[in-house]
């Protein structure tokens, strides 16, 4: 499973023309890289995917030479809750899509050299000159957000003043909403054709995984019905209990005695 995941990742890097293999110029130093492995789980705790990433050792980058600005926003959880509440009130169907190898769609401005990935080297003494924002680089998140933001703006959306990861478009009195969490997008509108139209527009620029109606997002299981969205973190709670050896503990509706009032005198002295 891991070998297959590594091969898929390497083929994706080559297909996206992330680097060119070249000799290291005199006086330059190549940064390191490493394979990173993650098992992705579904809402019921089942294994969904074995995922391998070849990432740059960004901690070896030199500021001013290898990168400049690094800040990249993600949508606020309070924004997500607000948007889900709006979708429930408007009885809208919320959809979700994932952009594959998102960072690899963003160009980099700096001249950065990196060691070739273990198991996939070619040529002796050659290194990779990066052309795209590989995972692990300090500026990759910022470059990717700039890329997706520019594309959404070209489609007529505008970032919200209170949360730049919430994009809104108004057309003939109809509102369209998109929340961006790195490479995951959730979106909805009272316009029934928005889902297919938006998916078509995104596919013109990026390779996506269409996750259909929203059901699993940031470790939260969501059950969406017209006029109601129920959020559950049952899997996270079970994992937390297992981590502390409390799988067989007795459930209680509250963690403390009902009506208990704590005062400053109850606090232990320092």
């Amino acid at each position: 499973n891991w070998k297959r995941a590594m091969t898929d990742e390497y083929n994706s890097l080559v297909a996206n023309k992330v680097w060119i293999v070249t000799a290291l110029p005199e006086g330059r130093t190549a940064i390191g890289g490493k394979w990173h492995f993650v098992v992705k789980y579904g809402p019921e705790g089942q294994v969904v995917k074995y995922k391998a990433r070849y990432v740059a050792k960004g901690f070896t980058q030199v500021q001013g030479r290898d990168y400049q600005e690094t800040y990249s926003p993600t949508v606020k959880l309070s924004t997500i809750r607000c948007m889900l509440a709006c979708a429930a009130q408007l009885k809208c169907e919320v959809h979700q899509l994932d952009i594959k190898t998102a960072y690899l769609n963003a160009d980099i401005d700096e001249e950065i050299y990196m060691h070739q990935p273990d198991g996939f080297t070619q040529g002796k003494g050659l290194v990779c000159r990066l052309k795209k924002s590989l995972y692990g680089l300090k500026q990759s998140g910022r470059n990717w957000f700039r890329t997706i933001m520019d594309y959404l703006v070209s489609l007529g959306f505008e970032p919200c003043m209170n949360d730049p990861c919430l994009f809104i478009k108004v057309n003939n009195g109809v509102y369209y909403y998109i929340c961006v969490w790195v490479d995951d997008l959730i979106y909805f509108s009272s316009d029934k054709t928005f889902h297919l139209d938006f998916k078509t527009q995104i596919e013109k620029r990026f390779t996506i995984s269409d996750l259909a109606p929203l059901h699993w997002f940031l470790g939260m299981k969501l059950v969406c019905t017209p006029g109601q969205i129920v959020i559950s973190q049952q899997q996270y709670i079970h994992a937390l209990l297992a981590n502390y050896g409390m799988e067989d503990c007795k459930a209680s509706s509250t963690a403390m005695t009902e009506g208990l009032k704590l005062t400053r005198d109850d606090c232990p002295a320092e």
Side-chain angles (χ1 to χ4, degrees):
N1 287 326
W2 292 122
K3 287 182 178 179
R4 188 183 306 114
M6 291 170 67
T7 301
D8 291 343
E9 171 70 0
Y10 179 77
N11 291 337
S12 177
L13 295 172
V14 173
N16 284 278
K17 300 179 180 178
V18 175
W19 59 57
I20 57 174
V21 178
T22 182
L24 183 66
E26 186 177 351
R28 296 301 304 266
T29 302
I31 64 175
K34 64 175 293 186
W35 284 103
H36 179 65
F37 304 98
V38 175
V39 179
K40 299 192 72 174
Y41 297 94
E44 305 303 328
Q46 75 278 18
V47 176
V48 175
K49 184 178 182 180
Y50 290 88
K51 194 171 185 178
R53 288 281 191 218
Y54 186 63
V55 301
K57 295 182 178 180
F59 59 86
T60 62
Q61 288 181 263
V62 178
Q63 186 174 13
R65 184 193 69 186
D66 298 327
Y67 70 95
Q68 304 297 330
E69 299 292 333
T70 61
Y71 173 73
S72 176
T74 54
V75 65
K76 302 174 183 176
L77 292 177
S78 56
T79 300
I80 294 174
R81 291 195 296 269
C82 180
M83 289 297 99
L84 292 178
C86 289
Q89 185 178 30
L90 297 173
K91 297 183 179 180
C92 297
E93 191 174 60
V94 184
H95 288 266
Q96 176 185 16
L97 60 82
D98 171 75
I99 297 179
K100 295 182 178 180
T101 57
Y103 284 12
L104 307 186
N105 292 281
D107 296 326
I108 59 174
D109 301 321
E110 296 79 15
E111 183 178 344
I112 300 177
Y113 296 90
M114 181 178 172
H115 295 298
Q116 296 187 62
D118 294 336
F120 299 89
T121 57
Q122 53 179 295
K124 186 176 181 180
L126 300 180
V127 297
C128 302
R129 178 179 176 180
L130 298 181
K131 310 296 287 185
K132 300 288 185 177
S133 297
L134 187 67
Y135 294 89
L137 294 179
K138 290 182 177 294
Q139 67 268 49
S140 289
R142 181 181 182 86
N143 290 346
W144 159 244
F145 181 73
R146 183 177 59 190
T147 300
I148 186 65
M149 180 183 69
D150 290 344
Y151 188 68
L152 293 178
V153 169
S154 73
L155 298 179
F157 290 88
E158 295 183 4
C160 175
M161 292 181 62
N162 294 319
D163 190 335
C165 294
L166 169 62
F167 292 83
I168 304 171
K169 181 171 73 172
V170 184
N171 186 18
N172 295 326
V174 179
Y175 284 79
Y176 303 83
Y177 301 94
I178 302 172
C179 292
V180 177
W181 181 284
V182 192
D183 55 358
D184 286 323
L185 278 64
I186 58 176
Y187 54 99
F188 69 92
S189 172
S190 57
D191 183 353
K192 302 298 183 182
T193 65
F194 177 51
H195 166 54
L196 293 178
D197 292 343
F198 180 67
K199 178 184 172 183
T200 301
Q201 291 173 325
I202 289 293
E203 284 182 314
K204 291 179 181 179
R205 177 67 174 80
F206 309 106
T207 302
I208 68 171
S209 296
D210 183 14
L211 304 179
L214 181 65
H215 67 282
W216 181 254
F217 187 67
L218 301 181
M220 298 181 292
K221 181 179 179 180
L222 299 102
V223 179
C224 303
T225 57
Q228 183 180 31
I229 298 178
V230 179
I231 301 175
S232 169
Q233 289 188 283
Q234 183 177 9
Q235 181 185 333
Y236 171 74
I237 294 172
H238 284 310
L240 191 65
L241 291 173
N243 187 51
Y244 290 96
M246 297 180 64
E247 303 98 316
D248 299 324
C249 66
K250 295 182 179 179
S252 177
S253 59
T254 178
M256 61 176 61
T257 305
E258 293 184 12
L260 178 64
K261 294 183 179 180
L262 298 176
T263 66
R264 186 180 298 273
D265 296 334
D266 295 316
C267 299
E270 295 183 358

